[in-house]
Amino acid sequence: KSNIMENKDLVDFYASDPISSFKSMMESCYCYGGLTKSNKYILDFKDELGEEVWNETYDSYSKFLKDNYTVEHNVGKDNEGLTYNRLVPRLDNTNDDI
């Protein structure tokens, strides 16, 4: 596979390099309504990546997610009654206002 931005694919869940791990966390935060630069789960990656790489990755990948994916809510429920969301590819691609 080439660049993830060209493939319109999400990060491989089992990828372990720091940037892929950061992008995977961004996907989770987007899926549950918390994709902001102040989210503590995202901020955890800033020390490892450095501020410049962190900001570039956040800016480009958050745009990629919002341009190409939407959130489907309550797609499943676990044994404790918690519901799950998932990211689904956008068909309309008009996410400019999010």
Side-chain angles (χ1 to χ4, degrees), residues 43-60:
L43 286 172
D44 287 346
F45 290 89
K46 195 179 271 192
D47 288 340
E48 185 174 10
L49 297 174
E51 189 147 357
E52 186 175 341
V53 171
W54 187 91
N55 277 307
E56 288 173 5
T57 304
Y58 180 90
D59 292 345
S60 63

Side-chain angles (χ1 to χ4, degrees), residues 35-47:
L35 184 53
T36 66
K37 281 192 170 182
S38 60
N39 185 300
K40 67 178 182 152
Y41 297 108
I42 289 175
L43 286 172
D44 287 346
F45 290 89
K46 195 179 271 192
D47 288 340

Side-chain angles (χ1 to χ4, degrees), residues 5 9-11 23-31 35 60-70 87-88 90 95:
M5 301 308 231
D9 288 338
L10 298 174
V11 175
K23 288 179 174 180
S24 181
M25 181 57 71
M26 289 177 65
E27 292 168 9
S28 295
C29 291
Y30 179 55
C31 195
L35 184 53
S60 63
Y61 203 61
S62 61
K63 180 177 180 356
F64 167 79
L65 289 173
K66 291 173 184 180
D67 285 351
N68 294 288
Y69 289 88
T70 189
L87 297 179
V88 292
R90 292 190 70 84
N95 231 357

